[in-house]
Amino acid sequence: MLRPALRQTLVTLTIMTPALAASPAEQRGKTFALTNCARCHSIDRVTQSPLKIAPPFRTLHHRYPVETLGEALAEGIETGHPTMPAFQLDPDQIHDLLSYLKTLE
């Protein structure tokens, strides 16, 4: 009886540990991505993007240095992929999203 409870506790701690270790900026960036991007993009380290042509966020650093995405996010990304809506983020949102993207490198 104790073993299943212990196993569940260990699984819960394993899942929660990365979230507990994340900075507030990383958490806000993840929340932004979940709210605004996850409908099309994979925003984690393992899942496939719901929309095939939308690159997973974990691969963005292979295409672009994450730090260089700030300017595009400030000016407004309009051509990420054909069905992507236009986004223009404020400086705090950019900082938070880039902080989160760096955790996926």
Side-chain angles (χ1 to χ4, degrees):
M1 191 71 153
L2 181 58
R3 285 184 184 249
L6 181 59
R7 185 177 305 134
Q8 182 61 35
T9 301
L10 289 174
V11 168
T12 301
L13 287 174
T14 302
I15 292 169
M16 289 179 56
T17 299
L20 295 174
S23 73
E26 293 165 356
Q27 284 295 321
R28 288 189 304 267
K30 183 177 182 178
T31 299
F32 180 90
L34 185 61
T35 303
N36 296 286
C37 312
R39 186 179 84 218
C40 298
H41 295 271
S42 168
I43 63 163
D44 61 33
R45 294 177 190 259
V46 294
T47 61
Q48 296 297 315
S49 292
L51 182 63
K52 278 195 181 290
I53 61 171
F57 279 8
R58 68 182 169 276
T59 66
L60 291 179
H61 71 279
H62 295 291
R63 296 178 182 201
Y64 320 96
V66 171
E67 299 80 21
T68 65
L69 296 174
E71 186 176 338
L73 293 168
E75 292 176 359
I77 294 179
E78 296 181 19
T79 60
H81 53 78
T83 57
M84 183 169 162
F87 274 101
Q88 187 170 3
L89 284 66
D90 66 42
D92 289 335
Q93 291 172 316
I94 292 168
H95 170 74
D96 295 345
L97 185 57
L98 293 182
S99 294
Y100 177 65
L101 290 176
K102 287 179 184 182
T103 69
L104 300 175
E105 291 182 343

PDB file of all heavy atoms in Angstrom, residues 21-57:
ATOM      1  N   ALA A  21      11.689  25.422  -9.798  1.00  0.00           N
ATOM      2  CA  ALA A  21      13.008  26.000 -10.000  1.00  0.00           C
ATOM      3  C   ALA A  21      12.979  27.179 -10.969  1.00  0.00           C
ATOM      4  O   ALA A  21      13.934  27.932 -11.040  1.00  0.00           O
ATOM      5  CB  ALA A  21      13.961  24.937 -10.513  1.00  0.00           C
ATOM      6  N   ALA A  22      11.926  27.343 -11.724  1.00  0.00           N
ATOM      7  CA  ALA A  22      11.851  28.403 -12.726  1.00  0.00           C
ATOM      8  C   ALA A  22      11.731  29.772 -12.063  1.00  0.00           C
ATOM      9  O   ALA A  22      11.071  29.930 -11.042  1.00  0.00           O
ATOM     10  CB  ALA A  22      10.660  28.167 -13.650  1.00  0.00           C
ATOM     11  N   SER A  23      12.366  30.745 -12.680  1.00  0.00           N
ATOM     12  CA  SER A  23      12.270  32.117 -12.189  1.00  0.00           C
ATOM     13  C   SER A  23      10.871  32.661 -12.490  1.00  0.00           C
ATOM     14  O   SER A  23      10.156  32.121 -13.339  1.00  0.00           O
ATOM     15  CB  SER A  23      13.316  32.987 -12.867  1.00  0.00           C
ATOM     16  OG  SER A  23      12.953  33.230 -14.223  1.00  0.00           O
ATOM     17  N   PRO A  24      10.496  33.760 -11.843  1.00  0.00           N
ATOM     18  CA  PRO A  24       9.191  34.368 -12.157  1.00  0.00           C
ATOM     19  C   PRO A  24       9.077  34.755 -13.637  1.00  0.00           C
ATOM     20  O   PRO A  24       8.021  34.569 -14.243  1.00  0.00           O
ATOM     21  CB  PRO A  24       9.133  35.585 -11.241  1.00  0.00           C
ATOM     22  CG  PRO A  24       9.994  35.214 -10.072  1.00  0.00           C
ATOM     23  CD  PRO A  24      11.110  34.389 -10.675  1.00  0.00           C
ATOM     24  N   ALA A  25      10.154  35.269 -14.226  1.00  0.00           N
ATOM     25  CA  ALA A  25      10.115  35.651 -15.644  1.00  0.00           C
ATOM     26  C   ALA A  25       9.881  34.426 -16.524  1.00  0.00           C
ATOM     27  O   ALA A  25       9.100  34.470 -17.475  1.00  0.00           O
ATOM     28  CB  ALA A  25      11.406  36.355 -16.048  1.00  0.00           C
ATOM     29  N   GLU A  26      10.552  33.314 -16.199  1.00  0.00           N
ATOM     30  CA  GLU A  26      10.367  32.082 -16.971  1.00  0.00           C
ATOM     31  C   GLU A  26       8.937  31.572 -16.835  1.00  0.00           C
ATOM     32  O   GLU A  26       8.340  31.129 -17.822  1.00  0.00           O
ATOM     33  CB  GLU A  26      11.355  31.018 -16.508  1.00  0.00           C
ATOM     34  CG  GLU A  26      12.793  31.353 -16.832  1.00  0.00           C
ATOM     35  CD  GLU A  26      13.804  30.517 -16.082  1.00  0.00           C
ATOM     36  OE1 GLU A  26      13.418  29.697 -15.232  1.00  0.00           O
ATOM     37  OE2 GLU A  26      15.003  30.701 -16.349  1.00  0.00           O
ATOM     38  N   GLN A  27       8.388  31.647 -15.652  1.00  0.00           N
ATOM     39  CA  GLN A  27       6.998  31.216 -15.439  1.00  0.00           C
ATOM     40  C   GLN A  27       6.026  32.089 -16.236  1.00  0.00           C
ATOM     41  O   GLN A  27       5.106  31.572 -16.879  1.00  0.00           O
ATOM     42  CB  GLN A  27       6.637  31.264 -13.950  1.00  0.00           C
ATOM     43  CG  GLN A  27       7.210  30.127 -13.146  1.00  0.00           C
ATOM     44  CD  GLN A  27       6.622  28.789 -13.571  1.00  0.00           C
ATOM     45  OE1 GLN A  27       5.444  28.654 -13.860  1.00  0.00           O
ATOM     46  NE2 GLN A  27       7.465  27.780 -13.599  1.00  0.00           N
ATOM     47  N   ARG A  28       6.246  33.411 -16.199  1.00  0.00           N
ATOM     48  CA  ARG A  28       5.369  34.312 -16.974  1.00  0.00           C
ATOM     49  C   ARG A  28       5.517  34.042 -18.466  1.00  0.00           C
ATOM     50  O   ARG A  28       4.533  34.060 -19.214  1.00  0.00           O
ATOM     51  CB  ARG A  28       5.683  35.767 -16.650  1.00  0.00           C
ATOM     52  CG  ARG A  28       5.229  36.215 -15.276  1.00  0.00           C
ATOM     53  CD  ARG A  28       5.377  37.715 -15.080  1.00  0.00           C
ATOM     54  NE  ARG A  28       6.733  38.181 -15.308  1.00  0.00           N
ATOM     55  CZ  ARG A  28       7.664  38.322 -14.359  1.00  0.00           C
ATOM     56  NH1 ARG A  28       7.378  38.017 -13.106  1.00  0.00           N
ATOM     57  NH2 ARG A  28       8.868  38.778 -14.673  1.00  0.00           N
ATOM     58  N   GLY A  29       6.743  33.793 -18.920  1.00  0.00           N
ATOM     59  CA  GLY A  29       6.971  33.480 -20.336  1.00  0.00           C
ATOM     60  C   GLY A  29       6.282  32.197 -20.747  1.00  0.00           C
ATOM     61  O   GLY A  29       5.687  32.113 -21.826  1.00  0.00           O
ATOM     62  N   LYS A  30       6.352  31.195 -19.876  1.00  0.00           N
ATOM     63  CA  LYS A  30       5.671  29.933 -20.172  1.00  0.00           C
ATOM     64  C   LYS A  30       4.156  30.141 -20.216  1.00  0.00           C
ATOM     65  O   LYS A  30       3.482  29.604 -21.097  1.00  0.00           O
ATOM     66  CB  LYS A  30       6.030  28.884 -19.125  1.00  0.00           C
ATOM     67  CG  LYS A  30       5.409  27.539 -19.403  1.00  0.00           C
ATOM     68  CD  LYS A  30       5.846  26.507 -18.397  1.00  0.00           C
ATOM     69  CE  LYS A  30       5.255  25.151 -18.727  1.00  0.00           C
ATOM     70  NZ  LYS A  30       5.693  24.116 -17.783  1.00  0.00           N
ATOM     71  N   THR A  31       3.632  30.933 -19.295  1.00  0.00           N
ATOM     72  CA  THR A  31       2.195  31.215 -19.281  1.00  0.00           C
ATOM     73  C   THR A  31       1.788  31.943 -20.555  1.00  0.00           C
ATOM     74  O   THR A  31       0.763  31.625 -21.168  1.00  0.00           O
ATOM     75  CB  THR A  31       1.820  32.042 -18.036  1.00  0.00           C
ATOM     76  OG1 THR A  31       2.147  31.278 -16.879  1.00  0.00           O
ATOM     77  CG2 THR A  31       0.340  32.392 -18.024  1.00  0.00           C
ATOM     78  N   PHE A  32       2.606  32.919 -20.986  1.00  0.00           N
ATOM     79  CA  PHE A  32       2.325  33.628 -22.235  1.00  0.00           C
ATOM     80  C   PHE A  32       2.306  32.645 -23.400  1.00  0.00           C
ATOM     81  O   PHE A  32       1.387  32.662 -24.226  1.00  0.00           O
ATOM     82  CB  PHE A  32       3.369  34.729 -22.487  1.00  0.00           C
ATOM     83  CG  PHE A  32       3.111  35.481 -23.758  1.00  0.00           C
ATOM     84  CD1 PHE A  32       2.308  36.604 -23.748  1.00  0.00           C
ATOM     85  CD2 PHE A  32       3.642  35.056 -24.972  1.00  0.00           C
ATOM     86  CE1 PHE A  32       2.036  37.296 -24.930  1.00  0.00           C
ATOM     87  CE2 PHE A  32       3.380  35.732 -26.148  1.00  0.00           C
ATOM     88  CZ  PHE A  32       2.577  36.861 -26.121  1.00  0.00           C
ATOM     89  N   ALA A  33       3.322  31.785 -23.473  1.00  0.00           N
ATOM     90  CA  ALA A  33       3.397  30.806 -24.564  1.00  0.00           C
ATOM     91  C   ALA A  33       2.208  29.857 -24.532  1.00  0.00           C
ATOM     92  O   ALA A  33       1.618  29.550 -25.576  1.00  0.00           O
ATOM     93  CB  ALA A  33       4.710  30.031 -24.482  1.00  0.00           C
ATOM     94  N   LEU A  34       1.844  29.408 -23.349  1.00  0.00           N
ATOM     95  CA  LEU A  34       0.710  28.492 -23.215  1.00  0.00           C
ATOM     96  C   LEU A  34      -0.581  29.162 -23.681  1.00  0.00           C
ATOM     97  O   LEU A  34      -1.371  28.576 -24.421  1.00  0.00           O
ATOM     98  CB  LEU A  34       0.583  28.040 -21.758  1.00  0.00           C
ATOM     99  CG  LEU A  34      -0.477  27.000 -21.457  1.00  0.00           C
ATOM    100  CD1 LEU A  34      -0.208  25.719 -22.215  1.00  0.00           C
ATOM    101  CD2 LEU A  34      -0.519  26.721 -19.970  1.00  0.00           C
ATOM    102  N   THR A  35      -0.757  30.413 -23.310  1.00  0.00           N
ATOM    103  CA  THR A  35      -1.975  31.143 -23.645  1.00  0.00           C
ATOM    104  C   THR A  35      -2.041  31.541 -25.117  1.00  0.00           C
ATOM    105  O   THR A  35      -3.103  31.475 -25.732  1.00  0.00           O
ATOM    106  CB  THR A  35      -2.076  32.415 -22.775  1.00  0.00           C
ATOM    107  OG1 THR A  35      -2.035  32.038 -21.409  1.00  0.00           O
ATOM    108  CG2 THR A  35      -3.354  33.186 -23.057  1.00  0.00           C
ATOM    109  N   ASN A  36      -0.905  31.946 -25.687  1.00  0.00           N
ATOM    110  CA  ASN A  36      -0.922  32.554 -27.014  1.00  0.00           C
ATOM    111  C   ASN A  36      -0.315  31.704 -28.129  1.00  0.00           C
ATOM    112  O   ASN A  36      -0.549  32.007 -29.297  1.00  0.00           O
ATOM    113  CB  ASN A  36      -0.172  33.887 -26.982  1.00  0.00           C
ATOM    114  CG  ASN A  36      -0.851  34.886 -26.086  1.00  0.00           C
ATOM    115  OD1 ASN A  36      -1.884  35.436 -26.436  1.00  0.00           O
ATOM    116  ND2 ASN A  36      -0.283  35.115 -24.914  1.00  0.00           N
ATOM    117  N   CYS A  37       0.469  30.703 -27.783  1.00  0.00           N
ATOM    118  CA  CYS A  37       1.238  29.996 -28.805  1.00  0.00           C
ATOM    119  C   CYS A  37       0.970  28.492 -28.885  1.00  0.00           C
ATOM    120  O   CYS A  37       1.182  27.883 -29.930  1.00  0.00           O
ATOM    121  CB  CYS A  37       2.737  30.203 -28.554  1.00  0.00           C
ATOM    122  SG  CYS A  37       3.220  31.923 -28.264  1.00  0.00           S
ATOM    123  N   ALA A  38       0.542  27.908 -27.770  1.00  0.00           N
ATOM    124  CA  ALA A  38       0.440  26.442 -27.689  1.00  0.00           C
ATOM    125  C   ALA A  38      -0.646  25.853 -28.576  1.00  0.00           C
ATOM    126  O   ALA A  38      -0.640  24.652 -28.815  1.00  0.00           O
ATOM    127  CB  ALA A  38       0.225  26.008 -26.240  1.00  0.00           C
ATOM    128  N   ARG A  39      -1.547  26.663 -29.068  1.00  0.00           N
ATOM    129  CA  ARG A  39      -2.568  26.134 -29.967  1.00  0.00           C
ATOM    130  C   ARG A  39      -1.928  25.585 -31.242  1.00  0.00           C
ATOM    131  O   ARG A  39      -2.425  24.635 -31.847  1.00  0.00           O
ATOM    132  CB  ARG A  39      -3.585  27.228 -30.309  1.00  0.00           C
ATOM    133  CG  ARG A  39      -4.761  26.715 -31.117  1.00  0.00           C
ATOM    134  CD  ARG A  39      -5.756  27.812 -31.425  1.00  0.00           C
ATOM    135  NE  ARG A  39      -5.273  28.512 -32.610  1.00  0.00           N
ATOM    136  CZ  ARG A  39      -5.361  29.816 -32.801  1.00  0.00           C
ATOM    137  NH1 ARG A  39      -5.908  30.588 -31.916  1.00  0.00           N
ATOM    138  NH2 ARG A  39      -4.903  30.356 -33.897  1.00  0.00           N
ATOM    139  N   CYS A  40      -0.784  26.161 -31.632  1.00  0.00           N
ATOM    140  CA  CYS A  40      -0.109  25.728 -32.856  1.00  0.00           C
ATOM    141  C   CYS A  40       1.282  25.141 -32.602  1.00  0.00           C
ATOM    142  O   CYS A  40       1.691  24.209 -33.279  1.00  0.00           O
ATOM    143  CB  CYS A  40       0.029  26.901 -33.820  1.00  0.00           C
ATOM    144  SG  CYS A  40      -1.561  27.588 -34.351  1.00  0.00           S
ATOM    145  N   HIS A  41       2.023  25.727 -31.655  1.00  0.00           N
ATOM    146  CA  HIS A  41       3.405  25.325 -31.395  1.00  0.00           C
ATOM    147  C   HIS A  41       3.509  24.419 -30.183  1.00  0.00           C
ATOM    148  O   HIS A  41       2.800  24.612 -29.203  1.00  0.00           O
ATOM    149  CB  HIS A  41       4.271  26.563 -31.094  1.00  0.00           C
ATOM    150  CG  HIS A  41       4.414  27.501 -32.233  1.00  0.00           C
ATOM    151  ND1 HIS A  41       5.420  27.386 -33.161  1.00  0.00           N
ATOM    152  CD2 HIS A  41       3.677  28.591 -32.595  1.00  0.00           C
ATOM    153  CE1 HIS A  41       5.303  28.368 -34.045  1.00  0.00           C
ATOM    154  NE2 HIS A  41       4.253  29.110 -33.728  1.00  0.00           N
ATOM    155  N   SER A  42       4.456  23.496 -30.244  1.00  0.00           N
ATOM    156  CA  SER A  42       4.838  22.774 -29.041  1.00  0.00           C
ATOM    157  C   SER A  42       5.665  23.752 -28.216  1.00  0.00           C
ATOM    158  O   SER A  42       6.607  24.359 -28.727  1.00  0.00           O
ATOM    159  CB  SER A  42       5.679  21.554 -29.387  1.00  0.00           C
ATOM    160  OG  SER A  42       6.268  21.041 -28.205  1.00  0.00           O
ATOM    161  N   ILE A  43       5.301  23.922 -26.951  1.00  0.00           N
ATOM    162  CA  ILE A  43       6.036  24.859 -26.117  1.00  0.00           C
ATOM    163  C   ILE A  43       6.835  24.134 -25.033  1.00  0.00           C
ATOM    164  O   ILE A  43       7.324  24.766 -24.104  1.00  0.00           O
ATOM    165  CB  ILE A  43       5.095  25.905 -25.481  1.00  0.00           C
ATOM    166  CG1 ILE A  43       4.085  25.243 -24.549  1.00  0.00           C
ATOM    167  CG2 ILE A  43       4.397  26.729 -26.554  1.00  0.00           C
ATOM    168  CD1 ILE A  43       3.420  26.199 -23.596  1.00  0.00           C
ATOM    169  N   ASP A  44       6.987  22.825 -25.182  1.00  0.00           N
ATOM    170  CA  ASP A  44       7.744  22.067 -24.190  1.00  0.00           C
ATOM    171  C   ASP A  44       8.896  21.332 -24.867  1.00  0.00           C
ATOM    172  O   ASP A  44       9.199  21.570 -26.020  1.00  0.00           O
ATOM    173  CB  ASP A  44       6.828  21.104 -23.426  1.00  0.00           C
ATOM    174  CG  ASP A  44       6.171  20.071 -24.328  1.00  0.00           C
ATOM    175  OD1 ASP A  44       6.799  19.650 -25.329  1.00  0.00           O
ATOM    176  OD2 ASP A  44       5.035  19.681 -24.045  1.00  0.00           O
ATOM    177  N   ARG A  45       9.510  20.433 -24.143  1.00  0.00           N
ATOM    178  CA  ARG A  45      10.697  19.729 -24.634  1.00  0.00           C
ATOM    179  C   ARG A  45      10.402  18.443 -25.394  1.00  0.00           C
ATOM    180  O   ARG A  45      11.316  17.846 -25.955  1.00  0.00           O
ATOM    181  CB  ARG A  45      11.609  19.388 -23.463  1.00  0.00           C
ATOM    182  CG  ARG A  45      12.199  20.589 -22.800  1.00  0.00           C
ATOM    183  CD  ARG A  45      13.043  20.167 -21.608  1.00  0.00           C
ATOM    184  NE  ARG A  45      13.412  21.310 -20.834  1.00  0.00           N
ATOM    185  CZ  ARG A  45      14.605  21.887 -20.887  1.00  0.00           C
ATOM    186  NH1 ARG A  45      15.529  21.400 -21.668  1.00  0.00           N
ATOM    187  NH2 ARG A  45      14.854  22.940 -20.142  1.00  0.00           N
ATOM    188  N   VAL A  46       9.145  17.978 -25.428  1.00  0.00           N
ATOM    189  CA  VAL A  46       8.914  16.653 -25.992  1.00  0.00           C
ATOM    190  C   VAL A  46       7.760  16.534 -26.988  1.00  0.00           C
ATOM    191  O   VAL A  46       7.838  15.707 -27.895  1.00  0.00           O
ATOM    192  CB  VAL A  46       8.709  15.599 -24.877  1.00  0.00           C
ATOM    193  CG1 VAL A  46       9.978  15.403 -24.078  1.00  0.00           C
ATOM    194  CG2 VAL A  46       7.570  15.954 -23.970  1.00  0.00           C
ATOM    195  N   THR A  47       6.701  17.284 -26.839  1.00  0.00           N
ATOM    196  CA  THR A  47       5.526  17.059 -27.676  1.00  0.00           C
ATOM    197  C   THR A  47       5.705  17.625 -29.082  1.00  0.00           C
ATOM    198  O   THR A  47       6.541  18.493 -29.320  1.00  0.00           O
ATOM    199  CB  THR A  47       4.256  17.683 -27.050  1.00  0.00           C
ATOM    200  OG1 THR A  47       4.433  19.089 -26.927  1.00  0.00           O
ATOM    201  CG2 THR A  47       3.949  17.078 -25.698  1.00  0.00           C
ATOM    202  N   GLN A  48       4.913  17.106 -30.000  1.00  0.00           N
ATOM    203  CA  GLN A  48       4.882  17.628 -31.360  1.00  0.00           C
ATOM    204  C   GLN A  48       3.992  18.868 -31.399  1.00  0.00           C
ATOM    205  O   GLN A  48       3.051  18.989 -30.621  1.00  0.00           O
ATOM    206  CB  GLN A  48       4.322  16.565 -32.318  1.00  0.00           C
ATOM    207  CG  GLN A  48       5.176  15.329 -32.430  1.00  0.00           C
ATOM    208  CD  GLN A  48       6.538  15.633 -33.016  1.00  0.00           C
ATOM    209  OE1 GLN A  48       6.651  16.347 -33.999  1.00  0.00           O
ATOM    210  NE2 GLN A  48       7.574  15.097 -32.396  1.00  0.00           N
ATOM    211  N   SER A  49       4.264  19.763 -32.320  1.00  0.00           N
ATOM    212  CA  SER A  49       3.411  20.935 -32.497  1.00  0.00           C
ATOM    213  C   SER A  49       2.053  20.491 -33.017  1.00  0.00           C
ATOM    214  O   SER A  49       1.988  19.664 -33.937  1.00  0.00           O
ATOM    215  CB  SER A  49       4.040  21.923 -33.479  1.00  0.00           C
ATOM    216  OG  SER A  49       5.205  22.489 -32.939  1.00  0.00           O
ATOM    217  N   PRO A  50       0.967  21.033 -32.462  1.00  0.00           N
ATOM    218  CA  PRO A  50      -0.368  20.695 -32.967  1.00  0.00           C
ATOM    219  C   PRO A  50      -0.533  21.024 -34.455  1.00  0.00           C
ATOM    220  O   PRO A  50      -1.209  20.315 -35.174  1.00  0.00           O
ATOM    221  CB  PRO A  50      -1.311  21.537 -32.109  1.00  0.00           C
ATOM    222  CG  PRO A  50      -0.551  21.767 -30.841  1.00  0.00           C
ATOM    223  CD  PRO A  50       0.892  21.869 -31.264  1.00  0.00           C
ATOM    224  N   LEU A  51       0.102  22.109 -34.907  1.00  0.00           N
ATOM    225  CA  LEU A  51       0.091  22.487 -36.315  1.00  0.00           C
ATOM    226  C   LEU A  51       1.451  22.097 -36.892  1.00  0.00           C
ATOM    227  O   LEU A  51       2.479  22.629 -36.472  1.00  0.00           O
ATOM    228  CB  LEU A  51      -0.147  23.990 -36.453  1.00  0.00           C
ATOM    229  CG  LEU A  51      -0.246  24.550 -37.862  1.00  0.00           C
ATOM    230  CD1 LEU A  51      -1.449  23.953 -38.604  1.00  0.00           C
ATOM    231  CD2 LEU A  51      -0.362  26.067 -37.816  1.00  0.00           C
ATOM    232  N   LYS A  52       1.457  21.185 -37.841  1.00  0.00           N
ATOM    233  CA  LYS A  52       2.711  20.623 -38.346  1.00  0.00           C
ATOM    234  C   LYS A  52       3.717  21.670 -38.821  1.00  0.00           C
ATOM    235  O   LYS A  52       4.922  21.503 -38.641  1.00  0.00           O
ATOM    236  CB  LYS A  52       2.432  19.640 -39.478  1.00  0.00           C
ATOM    237  CG  LYS A  52       2.049  18.267 -39.014  1.00  0.00           C
ATOM    238  CD  LYS A  52       2.160  17.307 -40.184  1.00  0.00           C
ATOM    239  CE  LYS A  52       1.764  15.915 -39.814  1.00  0.00           C
ATOM    240  NZ  LYS A  52       2.681  15.241 -38.945  1.00  0.00           N
ATOM    241  N   ILE A  53       3.261  22.746 -39.444  1.00  0.00           N
ATOM    242  CA  ILE A  53       4.203  23.739 -39.980  1.00  0.00           C
ATOM    243  C   ILE A  53       4.715  24.703 -38.907  1.00  0.00           C
ATOM    244  O   ILE A  53       5.626  25.479 -39.177  1.00  0.00           O
ATOM    245  CB  ILE A  53       3.582  24.541 -41.141  1.00  0.00           C
ATOM    246  CG1 ILE A  53       2.352  25.320 -40.686  1.00  0.00           C
ATOM    247  CG2 ILE A  53       3.268  23.631 -42.315  1.00  0.00           C
ATOM    248  CD1 ILE A  53       1.820  26.282 -41.719  1.00  0.00           C
ATOM    249  N   ALA A  54       4.179  24.640 -37.711  1.00  0.00           N
ATOM    250  CA  ALA A  54       4.620  25.516 -36.618  1.00  0.00           C
ATOM    251  C   ALA A  54       5.784  24.849 -35.888  1.00  0.00           C
ATOM    252  O   ALA A  54       5.620  23.787 -35.302  1.00  0.00           O
ATOM    253  CB  ALA A  54       3.468  25.781 -35.659  1.00  0.00           C
ATOM    254  N   PRO A  55       6.962  25.463 -35.916  1.00  0.00           N
ATOM    255  CA  PRO A  55       8.107  24.803 -35.288  1.00  0.00           C
ATOM    256  C   PRO A  55       7.953  24.708 -33.775  1.00  0.00           C
ATOM    257  O   PRO A  55       7.419  25.622 -33.146  1.00  0.00           O
ATOM    258  CB  PRO A  55       9.287  25.708 -35.656  1.00  0.00           C
ATOM    259  CG  PRO A  55       8.690  27.029 -35.953  1.00  0.00           C
ATOM    260  CD  PRO A  55       7.316  26.763 -36.496  1.00  0.00           C
ATOM    261  N   PRO A  56       8.407  23.613 -33.196  1.00  0.00           N
ATOM    262  CA  PRO A  56       8.405  23.515 -31.738  1.00  0.00           C
ATOM    263  C   PRO A  56       9.335  24.580 -31.160  1.00  0.00           C
ATOM    264  O   PRO A  56      10.400  24.857 -31.719  1.00  0.00           O
ATOM    265  CB  PRO A  56       8.967  22.116 -31.461  1.00  0.00           C
ATOM    266  CG  PRO A  56       8.911  21.392 -32.742  1.00  0.00           C
ATOM    267  CD  PRO A  56       8.945  22.407 -33.825  1.00  0.00           C
ATOM    268  N   PHE A  57       8.958  25.178 -30.064  1.00  0.00           N
ATOM    269  CA  PHE A  57       9.780  26.218 -29.452  1.00  0.00           C
ATOM    270  C   PHE A  57      11.153  25.697 -29.052  1.00  0.00           C
ATOM    271  O   PHE A  57      12.117  26.445 -29.051  1.00  0.00           O
ATOM    272  CB  PHE A  57       9.068  26.822 -28.245  1.00  0.00           C
ATOM    273  CG  PHE A  57       8.048  27.869 -28.614  1.00  0.00           C
ATOM    274  CD1 PHE A  57       7.675  28.112 -29.914  1.00  0.00           C
ATOM    275  CD2 PHE A  57       7.462  28.621 -27.617  1.00  0.00           C
ATOM    276  CE1 PHE A  57       6.738  29.076 -30.236  1.00  0.00           C
ATOM    277  CE2 PHE A  57       6.528  29.587 -27.921  1.00  0.00           C
ATOM    278  CZ  PHE A  57       6.166  29.827 -29.235  1.00  0.00           C
TER     279      PHE A  57
END
